[in-house]
Amino acid sequence: MVSKSRKGDSGKVKGETPAKVSADLPSGSDLPTHYDEPQGNGGETHQSTTDRNLTMTSQQGVPVSDGQNSLRAGKRGPTLLEDFQLREKIFHFDHERIPERVVHARGYGAHGFFELTDSLADYTRADVLTAVGRKTEVFVRFSTVAGRAGSRDLARDVRGFATKFYTREGNWDLVGNNIPVFFIQDAIKFPDLVHAVKEEPDRAFPQAQTAHDNFWDFVSLSPEAWHMIMWIMSDRTLPRSFRTMEGFGVHSFRLLDAEGKSTFVKFHWKPKQGLQSVLWNEAVKISGADPDFHRRDLWEAIESGDFPEWQLGVQLFDDEIASKLDFDHLDATKLIPEEVVPVRIVGRLVLDRNVDNFFAETEQVAFCTQNVPPGIDFSEDPLLAGRNFSYLDTQLKRLGGPNFTHIPINAPRCPVMNFQQDGHMAMTNPKGRVNYEPNSWGANAGPRENPELGHSSYAAPLDGRKERIRSETFADHYSQARMFYLSQTRIEQKHIGDALVFELSKVERVDIRARAVSHLANIDADLAATVADGLGMAVPQAAAAARPTLDLPPSAKLSILANGPDSFKGRKMGILLTDGSSAELFNALTKALKAEGAVWEVIAPKIGGVVLDDGTAVAARQKIDGGPSVLYDAVAILPSADGAALLARDAASKDFVSDAYGHCKYIGYSDAATTLFAESRVPPDLDAGFVALAKAKDAKAFVGQCAELRFWPREMEVDLDADSVR
Ligand code: HDE
């Protein structure tokens, strides 16, 4: 029997793709369907095959004849429980999710390698840090902390920067952040910190942000958090890209040489792409325009062959240097300025391969701070001690059993030999009769301990009373917060003030706002006054401080703007075109961008693209509504005269211009673009951030100018809050 394709049915015909069918199928067509074929595979988008190698199977390897129709008793009768194919497919689907990470749930990873360029053999016996030229496979996962796995990329938040080195001596996980200090000094406070920052438990919002009462309540009652507060209110928490962030191991670790001699070490990642962040107003708009902004950026850079690269730096110091510091290096709320202990560059990290599958690799990767090869060891930082417990424990919950090291992304690349066995999902139990030690099976005895090669801990002399107490060397909470603030450029200081005012304006309880500002009074009087003014309140009395704030020398390395790139390489320009745009300008601009190693996207009134004035058709990457200027580092606005008149009537086009202006971007423009500017809240006297593109040669100069990334003087003109820093 042939039944008719009903309206609302997919109307698919065996062997045809739905697209083709829908294009060809007039409504009410009499084309035959598969509905009368009890065993047919539905003829959906896939054709059936007779090739055994291409044959779909169940998880048990049983070939599947029809994956689109369940087994039923009669065409319109009940579905049968006997249908093991249906049950297996649904069963597997039901269990696709694993618990998301309790923090750092949203993340994105890539593969690459680490190459050692300078040996640390004088300090450590770790192969990964002594074999110059050795390339060690790595997997890196970047993340935000507070939001859930589906939250947006550009939340104001610390970024995780976790690296798994698959060394010849086992996995080394350097699980760091893009900020060198942390909120708290003792691991026992971590659950409170995380509860306070995440969504409030009764209402389940706000998601992925610190701008709410619970967070500011907690930190205003925790003076130790205030150095970190300065960092998270800075542009560090709004990175332009994972590629433009630094990374830090945060804690002091130890390097151990063959004799067991210890040297303290702090690890740094320095991006070759230079540091770069976005503005808050931009971040808010990017979050709507492209919630996947950072993951897309990393994916696209790697796919295009523009492999991001970082240098690995180490700060090495011993007890003597440590004893001369103004603070205790075991306190994770402190950093060691590079001016005090210089960073020595010892290697490079290159990310050159995207994952094949996000879940299998990025979601299942299990970082553990306690994964260290021989020659690397821990300091007595109490935060690190807590982490060394937490990470292993959390994997059991997330990955369901003790054999998560058998999952390919977590499996060491060197031999793994021991007598551990069984458990959920065991893939590789030891072979043979022996599964214990000591044993007397001679040549078949299996693996043995190796005191010479094996990991050994630093023989730290210990003494002390067992008690719950914080060292008085951890008591200065404000001096480095002040140092950080004073190390920023004026623009960056303004952004910190703006962020504090923004966040505290979202706090409903006035007493919490006041308590927060009382800490600022210990950090910088001007900042406290600016923020109090921004909140419309009087400056409160300074919070009681255990130690007076010291005036430490500023450190230039702490500023993003002082450590930016010197070219537009790896950046993205948005080029707005219309029909009739100048081919000469467009070609010259794209040539200059290519020469610079930059990329571009064409934005047009229609996604089908435009026809330039020489008749060339150019495809668009974005329709104007989907490609706002916040997605680009700089923009070129090159409409024809007719095109500009058209765009001047379009809200999205006007936003494109006014946002690029408001976000201090460099704007290249054709003569005709001024018609659009006149309608787009741009003052008639164009500032020096606007670059007229009349001739082909102007394009090169424009791209050169874009190396500065932003035309900062404009910020003083476009923001009411700028009055505070004039
Ligand atoms: Fe984490 N942290 N953390 N953390 N952390 C986790 O481990 C924890 C801390 C960091 O991409 C969890 O596998 C405690 C500092 C990163 O998979 C968990 C304490 C720093 C990632 C955990 C800290 C970090 C995590 C959640 C205080 C910077 C993501 C899922 C003692 C140096 C790794 C997981 C990835 C993830 C615990 C503090 C960085 C729960 C108890 C300080 C980059 O184990």
Side-chain angles (χ1 to χ4, degrees):
M1 187 190 109
V2 174
S3 62
K4 261 190 163 182
S5 173
R6 286 160 299 166
K7 250 200 155 128
D9 281 335
S10 59
K12 290 164 193 147
V13 177
K14 194 162 191 168
E16 300 266 10
T17 66
K20 179 141 192 326
V21 173
S22 61
D24 292 344
L25 192 69
S27 66
S29 156
D30 264 336
L31 286 175
T33 74
H34 64 276
Y35 294 123
D36 56 338
E37 298 168 22
Q39 291 300 315
N41 80 353
E44 307 292 324
T45 53
H46 285 77
Q47 296 195 344
S48 62
T49 181
T50 51
D51 184 340
R52 181 66 180 87
N53 295 325
L54 293 177
T55 296
M56 180 184 286
T57 72
S58 71
Q59 291 284 60
Q60 307 293 344
V62 177
V64 170
S65 57
D66 181 352
Q68 304 291 303
N69 296 290
S70 51
L71 194 63
R72 305 179 73 184
K75 286 192 195 64
R76 304 187 61 250
T79 302
L80 301 179
L81 196 59
E82 176 192 328
D83 189 349
F84 64 86
Q85 294 193 5
L86 166 71
R87 280 188 288 120
E88 185 202 77
K89 194 169 169 183
I90 299 285
F91 148 81
H92 200 278
F93 168 77
D94 287 347
H95 299 276
E96 278 180 2
R97 297 287 172 274
I98 59 175
E100 66 174 36
R101 289 166 176 83
V102 64
V103 281
H104 295 264
R106 179 158 180 92
Y108 209 62
H111 298 270
F113 64 86
F114 169 71
E115 183 180 4
L116 191 74
T117 52
D118 183 13
S119 172
L120 287 172
D122 288 346
Y123 303 95
T124 178
R125 65 191 178 104
D127 179 81
V128 64
L129 295 177
T130 53
V132 170
R134 166 112 64 238
K135 285 189 177 170
T136 302
E137 187 186 338
V138 299
F139 185 76
V140 175
R141 182 175 179 272
F142 303 104
S143 48
T144 53
V145 179
R148 291 185 174 270
S151 57
R152 61 198 187 279
D153 276 351
L154 251 168
R156 177 183 287 284
D157 202 352
V158 192
R159 297 303 186 285
F161 190 139
T163 308
K164 189 180 282 294
F165 300 75
Y166 303 91
T167 88
R168 294 181 163 205
E169 299 169 311
N171 289 352
W172 173 30
D173 293 354
L174 184 57
V175 195
N177 277 348
N178 75 330
I179 288 179
V181 292
F182 201 62
F183 293 95
I184 49 172
Q185 297 174 321
D186 190 312
I188 202 165
K189 287 178 71 104
F190 191 63
D192 296 305
L193 165 70
V194 174
H195 290 176
V197 71
K198 286 212 167 215
E199 59 270 25
E200 299 187 1
D202 52 354
R203 60 210 67 189
F205 60 82
Q207 164 84 214
Q209 53 185 302
T210 45
H212 60 112
D213 285 61
N214 281 7
F215 176 75
W216 287 97
D217 187 28
F218 176 82
V219 296
S220 65
L221 293 168
S222 307
E224 71 203 68
W226 281 80
H227 184 194
M228 182 71 166
I229 295 293
M230 289 293 107
W231 283 82
I232 64 167
M233 292 296 106
S234 80
D235 297 342
R236 294 269 172 172
T237 43
L238 305 173
R240 154 67 177 85
S241 158
F242 296 136
R243 302 180 290 132
T244 59
M245 311 185 314
E246 289 181 298
F248 303 92
V250 176
H251 316 278
S252 296
F253 289 84
R254 291 179 191 275
L255 296 181
L256 300 183
D257 69 11
E259 274 71 53
K261 183 169 167 291
S262 157
T263 306
F264 289 117
V265 59
K266 278 187 182 269
F267 295 105
H268 295 243
W269 292 117
K270 292 191 175 281
K272 271 193 78 174
Q273 297 74 226
L275 297 180
Q276 188 183 342
S277 286
V278 302
L279 300 176
W280 171 245
N281 183 271
E282 212 178 357
V284 169
K285 291 171 178 167
I286 292 172
S287 294
D290 186 4
D292 306 310
F293 187 68
H294 284 149
R295 52 176 63 183
R296 190 188 308 280
D297 170 273
L298 185 66
W299 173 273
E300 286 182 352
I302 294 175
E303 287 298 292
S304 73
D306 183 12
F307 302 138
E309 190 168 331
W310 288 260
Q311 293 175 315
L312 178 67
V314 289
Q315 283 179 299
L316 300 169
F317 57 103
D318 55 18
D319 279 315
E320 196 191 328
I321 295 174
S323 68
K324 291 188 189 136
L325 298 172
D326 297 308
F327 51 88
D328 194 331
H329 73 100
L330 298 180
D331 170 0
T333 68
K334 306 294 189 299
L335 58 84
I336 305 184
E338 293 190 29
E339 290 78 4
V340 177
V341 177
V343 172
R344 172 170 160 187
I345 301 301
V346 296
R348 66 189 192 109
L349 163 74
V350 178
L351 296 182
D352 60 1
R353 184 162 63 87
N354 280 316
V355 295
D356 289 328
N357 182 272
F358 177 84
F359 183 88
E361 295 154 71
T362 310
E363 195 57 10
Q364 293 199 113
V365 67
F367 293 97
C368 296
T369 48
Q370 76 276 15
N371 288 354
V372 287
I376 301 181
D377 200 12
F378 313 111
S379 71
E380 284 73 33
D381 179 338
L383 206 62
L384 181 56
R387 296 183 72 198
N388 287 342
F389 160 72
S390 175
Y391 289 71
L392 182 62
D393 184 53
T394 208
Q395 309 314 341
L396 193 63
K397 179 76 178 173
R398 294 198 63 241
L399 299 168
N403 290 318
F404 65 87
T405 53
H406 297 190
I407 300 172
I409 193 68
N410 295 320
R413 306 305 189 243
C414 62
V416 174
M417 295 196 289
N418 55 50
F419 295 122
Q420 294 169 29
Q421 67 173 27
D422 302 354
H424 285 291
M425 318 288 171
M427 306 286 168
T428 53
N429 267 354
K431 286 200 174 114
R433 186 172 185 178
V434 191
N435 59 355
Y436 59 91
E437 63 164 349
N439 71 61
S440 59
W441 289 93
N444 297 321
R448 285 285 188 264
E449 288 87 354
N450 186 329
E452 201 186 321
L453 293 182
H455 186 277
S456 42
S457 303
Y458 177 59
L462 293 182
D463 102 76
R465 291 153 52 95
K466 198 190 320 176
E467 53 192 341
R468 293 186 187 275
I469 193 158
R470 197 83 59 94
S471 166
E472 67 281 355
T473 55
F474 283 32
D476 175 357
H477 302 311
Y478 302 113
S479 302
Q480 286 211 344
R482 176 172 174 76
M483 173 188 78
F484 176 75
Y485 182 68
L486 296 181
S487 302
Q488 307 302 307
T489 60
R490 280 310 273 154
I491 288 284
E492 290 169 302
Q493 288 182 341
K494 172 182 175 295
H495 292 171
I496 292 173
D498 291 351
L500 283 159
V501 171
F502 173 86
E503 298 257 326
L504 292 171
S505 297
K506 294 278 180 185
V507 170
E508 291 165 16
R509 265 179 51 187
V510 178
D511 60 322
I512 296 179
R513 286 184 218 151
R515 205 193 302 133
V517 180
S518 74
H519 293 282
L520 297 177
N522 285 327
I523 295 169
D524 185 76
D526 287 347
L527 177 63
T530 304
V531 174
D533 180 53
L535 294 170
M537 60 182 262
V539 183
Q541 207 187 349
R547 294 280 183 281
T549 310
L550 304 175
D551 258 323
L552 302 173
S555 167
K557 296 288 182 189
L558 303 184
S559 153
I560 295 175
L561 293 186
N563 296 283
D566 50 12
S567 89
F568 200 61
K569 186 175 181 326
R571 270 66 185 177
K572 196 189 260 185
M573 184 170 290
I575 308 179
L576 181 55
L577 299 179
T578 63
D579 282 337
S581 288
S582 159
E584 185 193 359
L585 272 186
F586 175 69
N587 292 335
L589 185 57
T590 50
K591 193 173 157 206
L593 287 167
K594 207 168 183 177
E596 188 80 353
V599 293
W600 65 88
E601 277 185 0
V602 168
I603 303 117
K606 291 190 180 152
I607 196 67
V610 298
V611 178
L612 303 179
D613 62 357
D614 68 349
T616 322
V618 176
R621 180 75 177 77
Q622 303 284 358
K623 173 171 160 50
I624 178 77
D625 319 55
S629 58
V630 291
L631 300 181
Y632 308 103
D633 296 282
V635 296
I637 302 176
L638 310 178
S640 62
D642 288 350
L646 201 72
L647 298 184
R649 291 170 31 220
D650 176 55
S653 304
K654 291 190 268 189
D655 284 351
F656 188 95
V657 176
S658 67
D659 272 346
Y661 173 73
H663 298 145
C664 306
K665 286 186 179 154
Y666 277 97
I667 302 173
Y669 66 100
S670 64
D671 193 32
T674 48
T675 312
L676 172 60
F677 295 168
E679 300 294 322
S680 307
R681 301 193 295 277
V682 169
D685 290 337
L686 299 181
D687 63 34
F690 285 84
V691 181
L693 305 178
K695 295 261 172 332
K697 70 174 173 36
D698 300 335
K700 202 169 164 210
F702 173 52
V703 172
Q705 207 156 348
C706 289
E708 288 174 23
L709 302 183
R710 283 183 212 266
F711 180 68
W712 286 114
R714 195 187 294 150
E715 180 153 329
M716 296 299 162
E717 310 305 321
V718 296
D719 187 355
L720 190 63
D721 297 325
D723 292 344
S724 64
V725 293
R726 258 184 245 279

